[in-house]
Amino acid sequence: MQTWFNPARGLEEAIASLSSLEADFRPDVRIADPRFGDFQANGVLPYAKARKANPRALATELVSKLRGNDAFAGLSIDIAGPGFINFVLSPAYLLNWMGDYKTGADLARGLAASGSHETVVVDYSSPNTAKEMHVGHIRSTVIGETLARLLAIRGDKVIRDNHIGDWGTQFGMLIWAVKNENYDLDHPGENVIGELQDLYAKGYAHYKESDEAAAKVREELVKLQNGDAENLAIWEKITSASKGAFDKIYARLDIHFDLTLGESFYRDKVERIYRELTETGLAVESDGALVVFHPEHKRFATQPFIIRKADGASNYATTDLATILYRVEELGATDIIYVVDSRQSDHFEQLFLTVEKWFKAKGYRLPRLRHVSFGTVLGENGKPFKTKEGGTVKLRDLLDEAVERSLTIVTTKNPDLPEVEKRQIAEAVGVGSVRYADLSQNRTSDYVFSWDKMLALEGNTAPYLLYAVARIRSIFRKAELAPGQGEEGALPFETPEELALAKKLAAFGPAMDAVFGDLRPHLLANYLFELSGTFSSFYNANRVMGEAAPVKARRLILCARTLAVMETGMNLLGLRVLERM
RNA sequence: GUGGCAGUAGCUCAGUUGGAUAGAGCAGCGGUCUUCUAAACCGCAGGCCCCGGGUUCGAAUCCCGGCUGCCACGCCA
């Protein structure tokens, strides 16, 4: 019996190839409401509608062809209502599926089969140097990391690039303050970033004091940009200290970049941008600045895309243009994804429009450009997030708090575990909870920050998934078997809980298709939450140990496959799985 | 003003791109540990899908018009 890794896709293709309908017929197979079946094909309805035909008759004709075909041997098929075609996977089919897709590697293979194998740059996290990472950075960082992992498992060549803000106007103030305070960058204190942030605040205050003071601050920036050795040395030390602080957070979140090419990397690449955009006629002078207008666009006909400021300096539009060129020419990117806050959607729309015209004029290969946007982190009052003191919550503090709360709980629930293991569990649960709180929500909606919500440990949260995995691990530990062992002689699934779990596992492929459709990780989180729930119901209703051999074997199969799917999915979300908790 | 995003159960949110009787979690009520981890499971209750039109076999979803909230819009990123 033939099985499809992704039954929805398999059905889609098999139905299309067997039907004698015209080419515009799309079977439109999707997961069905369990009351009607496992999958349903709805495509005959719109097809019949377009031709004023009887959908029920068309469905009947189509189904008679499917029934005689080997590909549909393990499925029951029927027609309901106006022409829905419902499919139910047989227990034997499900058992076969479990035999074909056993391990994480099998699942990865199944996923990669439908990938397009691009070279894709994922641009995410992108904090500013000399500043502490705060809750505002968490979304880009964890969503970007998950997208990178998703694309990689689908078979893309992924290049993770941390486009840090290391060349902005903040350096004028920072350098001025470092000099004014005689801050010793070679022997910084414990909390370098905190101190740098204080220095920045002093520089900023000075900048605001008077015109003369502002001029001095600007002078430091100009010196830096002109390559002044002393200022460059200060800048380098600040950058290096900042990267060190970022790396601590990244290590904790298990995030790894292939490249960290910040804005400063492109500082000698902006002249070409000015030249090419001017010579292609895209950029024009306006109020002393060099800008791009898009006459065909309702707003961008008058809302400029400023690529060189009136004072001659570059800005982020310039470096973003240079960055795209670099990624295409030097990295071979066919696809570039920006994981950035939705407030910058105008910027990206202008950027992409400009690149399209520029690349077309120069005959450069145009990559696929996508802005994967996400909502803003808001406070409880619905305004952009600030603490009561007007500051931001540091990512470090958030993670520490989460781990502390988790430690309290693990100590209560499982007091006999060794201290070291309790701490490991608390770290995985705490950090995982913060991360999952973000990933389980639709990225496009705004995010209301709340300690309780971020650190919740029940319901649709990381611990719920981790707990399901720990229970499976525990079964194998008690059975003294490795996952994958003890499966011989299994009979097809029988109980409602077994069947529900088996079907949920076979729905992994369709769930992942939805995730890739619009790059929405929360659909993976939803799926894993549902899988955990289905497993928990199974666990409570059907014992594994102590059952007759054929029953035990088939339940061990379900445990092992659930484990493989959970581990694969959780790894994509960046959650570390646990043996016990 | 122009444009974008959003409005679904008391609260927080899903809703597979137009499919069948709109779903979860939390909070509430009731039940389940001598048996593989009760961080769990089972059940009950909870709805003007912002409002009004339209499109069609079918609309939370698409179109038009409103209302409300948030965001962006010349030299910050």
Side-chain angles (χ1 to χ4, degrees), chain A residues 115 119 203 242 263 360 466 486 497 533 564:
Chain A
T119 298
S242 300
E263 287 161 359
K360 191 176 177 192
L466 288 165
E497 293 83 9

Side-chain angles (χ1 to χ4, degrees), chain A residues 332-401:
Chain A
T334 56
D335 201 338
I336 302 174
I337 290 173
Y338 293 88
V339 187
V340 180
D341 185 340
S342 63
R343 286 178 297 192
Q344 293 190 38
S345 52
D346 271 5
H347 168 73
F348 284 106
E349 205 182 327
Q350 288 173 305
L351 176 69
F352 296 169
L353 268 174
T354 304
V355 168
E356 271 172 41
K357 293 177 184 174
W358 167 34
F359 276 31
K360 191 176 177 192
K362 299 295 290 183
Y364 300 152
R365 181 178 47 77
L366 185 70
R368 181 178 187 194
L369 298 165
R370 276 184 284 181
H371 175 204
V372 174
S373 67
F374 53 82
T376 313
V377 178
L378 303 175
E380 312 260 11
N381 56 4
K383 292 185 195 153
F385 181 75
K386 288 279 186 289
T387 59
K388 279 180 197 139
E389 298 74 34
T392 52
V393 170
K394 293 170 190 158
L395 201 39
R396 202 156 39 92
D397 293 342
L398 178 64
L399 296 175
D400 285 345
E401 172 79 18

Side-chain angles (χ1 to χ4, degrees), chain A residues 373-438:
Chain A
S373 67
F374 53 82
T376 313
V377 178
L378 303 175
E380 312 260 11
N381 56 4
K383 292 185 195 153
F385 181 75
K386 288 279 186 289
T387 59
K388 279 180 197 139
E389 298 74 34
T392 52
V393 170
K394 293 170 190 158
L395 201 39
R396 202 156 39 92
D397 293 342
L398 178 64
L399 296 175
D400 285 345
E401 172 79 18
V403 171
E404 202 174 301
R405 291 196 192 195
S406 305
L407 186 60
T408 306
I409 292 174
V410 72
T411 304
T412 315
K413 304 272 182 192
N414 245 330
D416 298 333
L417 290 176
E419 193 61 27
V420 182
E421 190 174 351
K422 274 189 240 173
R423 295 206 168 271
Q424 284 168 351
I425 291 168
E427 180 74 19
V429 170
V431 174
S433 295
V434 169
R435 185 175 207 143
Y436 187 84
D438 200 308

Side-chain angles (χ1 to χ4, degrees), chain A residues 131-139 385 392-396:
Chain A
K131 283 188 187 168
E132 195 102 40
M133 286 181 80
H134 54 83
V135 291
H137 293 110
I138 196 173
R139 304 209 79 179
F385 181 75
T392 52
V393 170
K394 293 170 190 158
L395 201 39
R396 202 156 39 92

